[in-house]
Amino acid sequence: LADDATLVLELKDHKFSPANPTVPANTRIKVTVKNLDATPAEFESQDFDAEKVVPGGGEISVNIGPLDPGTYDFFDEYHQQESTTQLTVQ
């Protein structure tokens, strides 16, 4: 396995940035979610089994992976329709 990778996501107006991040396959990834909105969000993915509340103006970190190559949906559960995007693993 490669060294751990990191991914920083910002959440603003219920949208993740970068919108469709890419991370390396077969690597543990530390994902940091920075919530730039005043209201809480819930970073969630059934595809890579993550679920964590991000307070308004706060940030959280979760470790995911290693993941096989493919695409994995993730979203803010409180605003799922606006926020759903994909993580590409290659």
Side-chain angles (χ1 to χ4, degrees), residues 11-13 33-41 53-60:
L11 188 56
K12 175 88 176 132
D13 299 325
V33 181
K34 296 181 178 182
N35 185 354
L36 304 181
D37 292 323
T39 55
V53 173
V54 191
E59 70 177 63
I60 57 98

Side-chain angles (χ1 to χ4, degrees), residues 19-37:
N20 294 289
T22 300
V23 297
N26 304 313
T27 305
R28 282 188 58 79
I29 299 141
K30 180 182 178 185
V31 180
T32 300
V33 181
K34 296 181 178 182
N35 185 354
L36 304 181
D37 292 323

